[in-house]
Amino acid sequence: GAGNVVPAEMGIYPSLNKESLLAMRPDIIVTTARPGTEEARLREMRRDWRPLASIPAVRNGDFRFISEPSFLLPGPWSLKHQLLLEELFHESGPGGSVPTTNGD
């Protein structure tokens, strides 16, 4: 049931600023992280995003991490990424992450 708050008309690689994030009000922020860096990155994000606490995801500390390298590469990965996102949303809570799949 999750939906992307970024409008499709912003394109595949949108440039987001604070004002647009405040208007979109995401419940969850998904970002990438190197494997094993999730805890440090979570602390950093909670600190850096504090000024935007009116965003539900920031207020609730709901940042989630993907450490799959292919997530940053263009190509035929959509099914693999869909499965990773499903795992991230359904089996992980705030600060959760999904591991790399080692090219599987």
Side-chain angles (χ1 to χ4, degrees):
N4 190 345
V5 297
V6 179
E9 57 268 12
M10 289 187 79
I12 296 173
Y13 300 105
S15 179
L16 303 174
N17 58 32
K18 291 178 183 178
E19 290 77 15
S20 62
L21 289 169
L22 286 166
M24 292 176 195
R25 302 184 49 77
D27 293 317
I28 299 170
I29 294 174
V30 177
T31 188
T32 57
R34 288 188 312 274
T37 64
E38 293 88 350
E39 285 300 318
R41 184 83 174 106
L42 179 59
R43 285 191 303 276
E44 179 182 297
M45 288 185 77
R46 284 183 174 150
R47 182 191 69 237
D48 293 346
W49 283 73
R50 197 172 300 138
L52 299 175
S54 63
I55 296 173
V58 176
R59 184 175 51 251
N60 298 326
D62 203 344
F63 302 97
R64 303 195 193 187
F65 303 95
I66 293 181
S67 55
E68 170 56 42
S70 72
F71 209 78
L72 298 175
L73 300 173
W77 306 99
S78 21
L79 179 58
K80 176 181 180 178
H81 293 163
Q82 178 183 342
L83 296 173
L84 287 172
L85 288 169
E86 286 178 15
E87 181 180 345
L88 190 64
F89 291 133
H90 295 290
E91 297 176 22
S92 173
S97 65
V98 290
T100 62
T101 59
N102 298 321
D104 295 336

